[in-house]
Amino acid sequence: MLSFLSLVSLYSQGLKRTNSIDSLQTAEDVQQFIGRKEITQYVSVTDKIKYDSNCIAFADSLKIQPWIKGDFDGNGLTDILITGKKRDGPATICILDKGSGFETKQISNGQLHEICSFTQVKDNQLEYLSIKNEYLSAYKLKKDLLVYKFGDFIEENNAPKNHRISAIEFRASGCYGICPDFTLKISGLDIEWTAGRYNTVNFQEYSGVYHSKLSEERLKNILELLNYMDFENLDENYKVGYSDQPTAYLTIDYDDLKSKNIRDYGMMGTRGLRKLYEVLFDLRGELHWKKLSKIDNR
């Protein structure tokens, strides 16, 4: 009887690990799946990806497939990586089965940032190859291995260090438009937010200097992300090849006397940085803030 129950349990667990992605076999199947209301990105899927003349030779040599299945977030459920057509050219998305629903991640960065991009799967891991859209740059493929961590796909780091980070200062500048201009300063669990122009969060307008407290768990997650993305060895300057974008200024004080400064025009420096920016932007709407003073926005 015990053996029978064990077999039933194993069989039930196996059933739980199957999902609607497993049954997708054709381009039409994949296209219908993307049309579900919970899928937040859309591409047009065909049996062969249509690249332009700048990219087709690379795509043919790499044998890029329109879709690939795998467990890319490591939760035992089948996910799917899809490359299809958007208005400005081929784009790649990854749809993850989180058990309680599907989560969609955009993998490619878009034509403004890259001339070509290709995503392959190696050992159930995403290998991202791209040619950046930079003035007078040579057509050279840059390769990154991407891992699903901190709720997103970021550059893999097999040996993250454990720096003692004492303070973080992050400023998001304005842009030619309505980009929020603000500064966050984190020291231990204390966080200060100086809100300049266009800081409307959760339908409330903020302007001035505010204070709040981070939970130990939230601070731990931020520090783990910084260490995992190897902030110490990132470039000091990043910039996109197009105009009218906001700029991120990041200063990290660590290991007693060291400091790292990063300027990132366009906020596209690395995937790890972009995830950090997302986390820091979100703090404005996730914490309870006490106003300390006003500032002059003239």
Side-chain angles (χ1 to χ4, degrees), residues 36-272:
R36 296 168 62 144
K37 63 180 181 181
E38 65 265 44
I39 307 302
T40 57
Q41 299 278 345
Y42 186 86
V43 292
S44 296
V45 185
T46 57
D47 289 315
K48 184 172 177 58
I49 308 164
K50 296 180 180 179
Y51 291 97
D52 65 24
S53 57
N54 292 319
C55 308
I56 192 167
F58 289 105
D60 288 344
S61 66
L62 294 167
K63 296 181 172 58
I64 299 298
Q65 302 175 47
W67 66 88
I68 307 171
K69 300 176 188 177
D71 180 14
F72 305 125
D73 58 0
N75 68 351
L77 296 167
T78 305
D79 311 311
I80 187 167
L81 180 78
I82 305 167
T83 299
K85 180 77 172 177
K86 281 193 172 183
R87 183 176 299 176
D88 60 349
T92 302
I93 62 175
C94 188
I95 302 173
L96 304 169
D97 189 339
K98 308 305 291 182
S100 58
F102 293 102
E103 183 177 306
T104 312
K105 297 293 183 182
Q106 181 171 320
I107 306 301
S108 54
N109 293 317
Q111 291 290 306
L112 277 176
H113 190 63
E114 295 166 339
I115 296 171
C116 308
S117 66
F118 315 99
T119 311
Q120 304 182 117
V121 175
K122 301 284 188 181
D123 299 324
N124 221 34
Q125 187 176 17
L126 304 192
E127 182 181 77
Y128 188 77
L129 302 103
S130 63
I131 301 171
K132 286 196 172 184
N133 191 2
E134 294 177 342
Y135 182 62
L136 295 179
S137 65
Y139 273 34
K140 184 177 180 181
L141 279 173
K142 180 180 181 294
K143 181 172 74 173
D144 287 310
L145 291 176
L146 307 182
V147 61
Y148 186 82
K149 289 185 73 68
F150 308 102
D152 218 326
F153 287 98
I154 64 174
E155 295 86 356
E156 182 185 49
N157 182 359
N158 285 321
K161 298 177 182 177
N162 188 25
H163 294 292
R164 299 183 304 279
I165 299 171
S166 57
I168 304 164
E169 181 173 328
F170 170 73
R171 184 194 166 199
S173 78
C175 64
Y176 188 72
I178 56 172
C179 303
D181 189 332
F182 67 92
T183 300
L184 293 174
K185 296 179 180 179
I186 298 173
S187 180
L189 298 178
D190 289 294
I191 179 169
E192 182 181 278
W193 172 25
T194 302
R197 293 179 181 272
Y198 307 122
N199 279 269
T200 300
V201 183
N202 297 333
F203 305 104
Q204 180 178 346
E205 180 70 27
Y206 289 86
S207 178
V209 181
Y210 300 83
H211 176 267
S212 188
K213 287 279 190 181
L214 296 170
S215 67
E216 291 186 1
E217 182 66 21
R218 195 186 292 269
L219 177 62
K220 176 175 174 286
N221 290 339
I222 293 172
L223 299 183
E224 283 184 354
L225 172 56
L226 279 167
N227 276 312
Y228 187 85
M229 58 192 251
D230 194 16
F231 70 87
E232 185 181 38
N233 291 310
L234 294 179
D235 293 344
E236 293 185 351
N237 285 284
Y238 295 96
K239 62 179 181 179
V240 295
Y242 41 95
S243 61
D244 303 329
Q245 299 302 302
T247 303
Y249 299 89
L250 181 65
T251 299
I252 304 161
D253 296 331
Y254 66 104
D255 294 350
D256 298 328
L257 298 176
K258 295 181 180 180
S259 185
K260 177 73 175 185
N261 294 289
I262 297 171
R263 180 184 184 274
D264 187 356
Y265 175 70
M267 299 189 183
M268 292 285 288
T270 69
R271 292 174 189 268

